[in-house]
Amino acid sequence: MELVLLTAVVLLGTCVQGLAGMGFGMIAVPVLVVAAGAHYGILWGNICGGLVTLLLFVTGFRDINWYRFRLLMFSALPALFATVVTLRFVPDRTFSIFVGIIMLAMVFFSIFAPRFRAIPVFSGSLIFGFLGGMMSALVAQSGPVMAAYSQTTRWTQREFAATLQPLFLCFNVIVVTSKVWFGGQNAVLTSLPAPTIAAILGAILVGTVVARWLKKFVKPQWARNLALALATFGALRVIISVCFPGLP
């Protein structure tokens, strides 16, 4: 049953990412945390998120704004490495509760993002790039931060969705590499059963294809709203599973 749920959630997260340009981490990470523990669940979120963005990056290459990509990536690098090093010293149980709280905060952050005032692209990129890098390393989901960035800098949805894919890909590659080499998480491949890993990979491939088909019928905002709703449920599920381990 858990395998079916995890596969379905990864499939859904991939579809939402393909439609809205973000949302995989918000949907999939809470379930991955429950399945593999806080630290390895987040790491699997980074791994899966990297695969999803790699597939979507190829299909949306022409719409990428490379100027914004460079600004965001440059400002995110210090946050990525600093967060990975810090997390090495945080106990798994404490981190699980922290993950749930942060994910809830990210949901509310996304909801109120449209009300933020407009700011210049350069300064906005430096601020939100740093925050996005930190959140990618913390909870494998910088989408809400980037959504706020797109709102405050008045970025078009088409460029926004396309540019996020190489950005998220770089975030995830750096985070996964750093956590495995320097963060003490080198047992990632044994943190989930082999059939589960295979099912996750299959769900990502299928979800990418399904998302391309769904683009004909589903608006990006609908996908974002679904991601927010599922992220809220998932974050609460993480907190409850840690505070009340006896519950199913």
Side-chain angles (χ1 to χ4, degrees):
M1 186 63 182
E2 289 184 0
L3 177 59
V4 174
L5 174 62
L6 183 56
T7 304
V9 168
V10 171
L11 175 63
L12 179 60
T14 304
C15 290
V16 170
Q17 180 96 3
L19 292 168
M22 53 164 279
F24 177 84
M26 297 179 70
I27 293 174
V29 165
V31 181
L32 288 167
V33 166
V34 173
H39 285 288
Y40 281 115
I42 296 296
L43 184 55
W44 272 111
N46 289 120
I47 293 172
C48 296
L51 292 174
V52 172
T53 53
L54 176 61
L55 294 172
L56 296 176
F57 167 53
V58 176
T59 60
F61 186 84
R62 293 182 178 179
D63 297 317
I64 296 172
N65 185 321
W66 291 107
Y67 171 71
R68 291 205 187 208
F69 167 81
R70 288 192 295 269
L71 286 177
L72 291 166
M73 194 66 233
F74 173 78
S75 57
L77 285 174
L80 287 167
F81 289 113
T83 305
V84 168
V85 173
T86 303
L87 288 179
R88 183 170 186 174
F89 306 99
V90 180
D92 196 76
R93 178 181 173 84
T94 302
F95 188 46
S96 294
I97 298 175
F98 182 68
V99 165
I101 294 172
I102 288 294
M103 285 190 293
L104 284 177
M106 287 294 96
V107 170
F108 290 108
F109 193 65
S110 293
I111 292 173
F112 291 103
R115 301 183 182 182
F116 293 170
R117 293 182 178 179
I119 60 176
V121 171
F122 183 81
S123 58
S125 299
L126 296 182
I127 295 169
F128 285 99
F130 183 89
L131 292 174
M134 182 176 67
M135 296 312 301
S136 180
L138 270 177
V139 290
Q141 47 179 287
S142 51
V145 174
M146 292 297 106
Y149 167 72
S150 73
Q151 294 287 344
T152 54
T153 59
R154 306 302 185 255
W155 202 1
T156 62
Q157 170 64 26
R158 190 180 183 90
E159 270 197 7
F160 165 73
T163 308
L164 285 192
Q165 306 318 309
L167 184 70
F168 287 168
L169 176 60
C170 291
F171 281 5
N172 287 315
V173 168
I174 292 172
V175 170
V176 170
T177 304
S178 301
K179 286 185 176 181
V180 171
W181 285 358
F182 311 116
Q185 299 183 40
N186 51 7
V188 59
L189 293 179
T190 58
S191 60
L192 287 175
T196 300
I197 296 175
I200 288 173
L201 295 177
I204 290 173
L205 292 174
V206 173
T208 305
V209 176
V210 173
R212 294 187 66 180
W213 176 75
L214 287 175
K215 279 186 176 181
K216 303 175 184 178
F217 314 102
V218 180
K219 295 181 180 180
Q221 188 58 47
W222 296 354
R224 284 196 194 186
N225 292 340
L226 176 62
L228 291 174
L230 293 175
T232 302
F233 174 80
L236 292 173
R237 177 70 177 86
V238 169
I239 296 173
I240 292 172
S241 67
V242 175
C243 296
F244 306 97
L247 294 179

